[in-house]
Amino acid sequence: RLLFFPARLSADYSPNFLPAAAELTLRGAAGFAVLGLALALAVRARRHAPTITLGLAWIGGTLLIVSNLIVPTGVLLADRTLYLPSVGAVLMIGWLVAWTEASWRHAGVGLATLLLGLGLVRAMTRVDVWRDNGRFFPQLVRDAPGSYRSYWGAGALAYDSGDRARGEVLIRRAIVVYPLHPRVWESLAYQLEKDGRWLEAAQRFKAAFTLDSMEVADALLAVRNYLRAGMVDSASGLAARLAVSFANDPGYYAAMAEVDSARGRLVAAMMWRRRVAWRFPRAWQSWYLTAQAAFAARYCWEARRSTDRVRVLRPDLPHLAELERRLRELGCGH
């Protein structure tokens, strides 16, 4: 239908706008019937109308690539997966126009003009949806009610408008519809963090990390929010998970710095911060955090060196005066 009669388009075709069925349904049976008719037509037309056979074979072959039958793509259906199959549809329509022209003089030209005009009008009325996020997300909500992406987008719009209660309800509904997308959990976690709901934010960041264990930033944010909630053991346990696969990752260093700082191991925290700074020697933020950790540990040498690095990298930093003041208070002269 989308290839030959795109009267209704959607910005999204994910669950539950396009639900998966656990058993054969009437619509599924109709789909099998269409598939059978297409195969029969391709075989029947192979000699007298090979263009039809080629078009059907092209559509079937290119759809097979993105069908999840060969390899899982993670996408049920999307407009972009139909671009290549549409070549086969155009071949079939072209044959129909040529056959009409040969059979009913000039009717083919009229048919081609009509189809081209309808296509241009549909494209012109639809393309504006994709112009920017301000147009896309409201249209997504209208196009795909019940889709987890629709709830997710509606929740983001509600948060942006200041309706935080409704935003939370909608994003939670998106998670209920499809709980396996880490970015949805992450979106809710960021909003909970803004509201100061540290434990809930930590749990959602941890869920996002569990679903996408390569996203170390989510684990670090979970650790940080566990510590804000006073749950040091939970933060430490998650940091230990990072050590298994990310022992040399700066995100792991930062997580350990926060855990050791919460446990009162201030020198160890400073050393973790210093390891981050060594990995990013041109980032003044890393040296600034190392200086802060050194002040907490009352470690003059590192406090002085890190402050010097901040001074070199960001001589105009407003917080530099505060670092200098703390150096004097600690008695860390040059």
Side-chain angles (χ1 to χ4, degrees):
R1 181 188 68 77
L2 289 172
L3 289 174
F4 292 100
F5 193 70
R8 184 190 179 194
L9 297 173
S10 177
D12 182 64
Y13 298 93
S14 59
N16 269 347
F17 176 71
L18 192 65
E23 57 187 17
L24 184 62
T25 63
L26 183 60
R27 295 179 68 179
F32 276 115
V34 171
L35 179 61
L37 288 173
L39 289 172
L41 178 60
V43 173
R44 183 74 178 270
R46 68 187 188 279
R47 292 181 179 174
H48 301 292
T51 304
I52 295 293
T53 303
L54 175 60
L56 287 169
W58 183 281
I59 293 173
T62 51
L63 282 177
L64 186 63
I65 298 171
V66 294
S67 66
N68 292 283
L69 294 174
I70 299 176
V71 293
T73 66
V75 177
L76 293 178
L77 178 65
D79 290 346
R80 64 183 181 275
T81 65
L82 300 179
Y83 289 147
L84 197 56
S86 70
V87 173
V90 171
L91 285 173
M92 296 175 66
I93 293 172
W95 179 90
L96 177 63
V97 169
W99 178 80
T100 305
E101 180 70 14
S103 302
W104 291 294
R105 297 177 61 89
H106 307 300
V109 174
L111 178 62
T113 303
L114 176 63
L115 293 175
L116 183 60
L118 290 174
L120 286 172
V121 169
R122 191 70 185 102
M124 291 173 64
T125 57
R126 186 64 184 178
V127 71
D128 194 59
V129 171
W130 300 89
R131 188 175 301 277
D132 53 44
N133 287 344
R135 291 176 175 85
F136 173 75
F137 286 110
Q139 187 66 40
L140 169 63
V141 175
R142 292 190 291 269
D143 282 349
S147 160
Y148 85 91
R149 290 186 189 275
S150 178
Y151 287 131
W152 185 11
L157 291 172
Y159 271 118
D160 289 343
S161 67
D163 191 348
R164 303 191 66 76
R166 177 168 173 75
E168 181 179 344
V169 168
L170 289 168
I171 294 184
R172 286 183 183 276
R173 194 174 298 171
I175 291 173
V176 170
V177 172
Y178 186 65
L180 300 180
H181 197 306
R183 302 289 79 80
V184 187
W185 289 94
E186 185 184 79
S187 296
L188 180 58
Y190 276 118
Q191 298 298 338
L192 294 171
E193 185 180 46
K194 288 181 180 179
D195 292 338
R197 296 158 64 179
W198 312 127
L199 178 56
E200 294 176 83
Q203 291 168 338
R204 274 66 185 181
F205 278 124
K206 183 180 178 181
F209 175 67
T210 301
L211 291 168
D212 182 3
S213 58
M214 298 304 294
E215 194 65 36
V216 182
D218 285 333
L220 174 58
L221 289 167
V223 167
R224 185 169 297 161
N225 281 282
Y226 272 131
L227 293 175
R228 289 168 173 167
M231 301 188 67
V232 179
D233 288 341
S234 296
S236 181
L238 185 54
R241 279 180 57 186
L242 285 176
V244 176
S245 302
F246 302 97
N248 295 315
D249 192 285
Y252 167 64
Y253 301 158
M256 287 304 301
E258 299 199 17
V259 170
D260 279 337
S261 178
R263 291 192 180 281
R265 302 169 183 166
L266 301 181
V267 174
M270 178 198 71
M271 294 176 68
W272 286 114
R273 285 293 181 193
R274 183 165 58 192
R275 292 179 73 174
V276 177
W278 285 344
R279 291 290 294 274
F280 303 104
R282 302 297 302 172
W284 67 267
Q285 297 92 336
S286 300
W287 293 106
Y288 178 81
L289 291 173
T290 305
Q292 296 284 14
F295 286 130
R298 303 188 66 80
Y299 201 92
C300 274
W301 184 85
E302 186 58 63
R304 186 170 58 247
R305 184 182 71 158
S306 296
T307 300
D308 288 342
R309 291 298 302 157
V310 173
R311 186 186 299 109
V312 170
L313 294 171
R314 277 295 304 273
D316 59 339
L317 185 69
H319 298 298
L320 193 56
E322 175 65 15
L323 295 180
E324 300 283 3
R325 183 187 63 79
R326 295 188 67 180
L327 278 176
R328 292 192 298 269
E329 289 179 355
L330 198 58
C332 302
H334 288 277

